[in-house]
Amino acid sequence: AYFTVARGEGERAPLEMTKWFDSNYHYLVPEIGPETVFSLSSDRLVREFAEGAAAGFTTRPVIVGPVTLLALSKASDDAPEGFDPLSRLDDLLPVYVELLARLKDAGAEWVQLDEPALVSESLPASIAALSDAAGRALAVLGGATARPSILVAAPYADLGEVFPVLAAAPIEAIAVDLVRGGVPAAAAGLEGKTLVGGVVDGHNIWRGDLASAFDTLEALRALGAAGVSASTSTSLLHVPHDVSDETKLDARLVSWLAFADQKVEQVVALARGLAEGR
């Protein structure tokens, strides 16, 4: 099935491919209509979590959030003119509830929902419509009786007017991109949540200014959340693995670089600063 949607079969064309926000990665655009049936077709995420646990690693499964999944989809060929895939949100959410329950049963303590659509201004849906959809979705997912703790991440830009919606939602943590966006204003509901400050740039290969990053984390602390954690601004899929693998680079250039391993070291240093002081 994966191969067919990517490459097509006979007269059945493959799905359209387009860029994942402002990265050089691409995704296959889902086609959704009123006739689309949503179901949990694979237990891959649960099996991968169990595999990590069996090897002694505690992982946090990362899932594309329901709002982003629908907002990045397009209407199927059979859909009526003007159909908006986001209108199927209420039909999609039970599948997410089922997946959260399965991950909880497998021992997952946290799950991360990536919702970058909430910060995009290039999608057909307005920010107001996306914000409303996020509030409705998180009310259902946060209210599920069997679920891990939920972290909602919205990388690639400033959360802006959507931040108060996430602050009020029944979730445990919010990750904000503080490289592409600024420290948000205080909002109701933060008292019981952890704010994850994305202060290490996950989108490029350069070393960051840790002193400035720590200043930003301290500003985030001032919002009154239950806790503040340090993180990268985006997933580290955007950068190579380890600078030490590059044995032929000029040493002067190496001193400027930070790949995935080095950025993790920066996050660890900032976390120690939050725990022990600057």
Side-chain angles (χ1 to χ4, degrees):
Y2 280 131
F3 189 87
T4 301
V5 297
R7 301 303 297 268
E9 182 181 55
E11 295 182 357
R12 299 166 65 186
L15 295 182
E16 175 188 338
M17 182 185 293
T18 192
K19 280 196 172 185
W20 179 256
F21 296 91
D22 63 348
S23 75
N24 285 323
Y25 290 86
H26 292 73
Y27 70 96
L28 296 169
V29 181
E31 297 179 5
I32 293 174
E35 76 287 352
T36 303
V37 177
F38 298 115
S39 65
L40 191 58
S41 62
S42 171
D43 63 351
R44 178 179 61 83
L45 275 173
V46 180
R47 285 187 286 105
E48 290 179 347
F49 174 83
E51 180 183 354
F57 295 97
T58 300
T59 59
R60 182 177 69 238
V62 179
I63 309 167
V64 174
V67 175
T68 295
L69 174 60
L70 294 176
L72 267 58
S73 299
K74 68 178 186 180
S76 66
D77 291 341
D78 295 330
E81 185 176 353
F83 174 80
D84 181 1
L86 199 57
S87 66
R88 296 295 312 278
L89 179 63
D90 293 340
D91 302 315
L92 175 62
L93 291 177
V95 181
Y96 275 79
V97 171
E98 180 184 355
L99 178 55
L100 292 179
R102 290 197 188 184
L103 288 169
K104 175 70 172 179
D105 289 343
E109 298 177 4
W110 283 88
V111 66
Q112 177 174 327
L113 299 178
D114 275 359
E115 290 283 18
L118 300 180
V119 301
S120 177
E121 296 182 348
S122 60
L123 298 175
S126 67
I127 292 294
L130 294 169
S131 180
D132 175 71
R136 289 162 45 213
L138 293 177
V140 172
L141 301 183
T145 55
R147 65 171 180 83
S149 296
I150 295 174
L151 163 65
V152 174
Y156 303 114
D158 195 294
L159 257 175
E161 64 190 73
V162 185
F163 182 74
V165 175
L166 300 186
I171 57 176
E172 285 69 38
I174 306 167
V176 288
D177 185 338
L178 297 178
V179 173
R180 298 290 182 87
V183 174
L190 291 179
E191 301 79 9
K193 292 181 174 60
T194 296
L195 289 178
V196 181
V199 292
V200 174
D201 197 335
H203 210 271
N204 67 32
I205 59 172
W206 307 112
R207 286 192 180 275
D209 180 345
L210 291 192
S212 175
F214 195 76
D215 288 341
T216 302
L217 289 173
E218 289 188 316
L220 200 63
R221 266 180 164 169
L223 299 185
V228 168
S229 295
S231 184
T232 54
S233 61
T234 67
S235 164
L236 291 176
L237 63 85
H238 299 290
V239 295
H241 176 209
D242 187 354
V243 174
S244 65
D245 291 339
E246 308 296 332
T247 58
K248 297 182 180 180
L249 293 178
D250 186 297
R252 293 169 296 180
L253 175 59
V254 169
S255 70
W256 303 342
L257 298 177
F259 293 174
D261 277 12
Q262 288 70 45
K263 290 180 185 290
V264 169
E265 291 171 358
Q266 293 175 354
V267 169
V268 170
L270 291 165
R272 285 186 59 193
L274 287 171
E276 302 172 11
R278 185 183 290 265

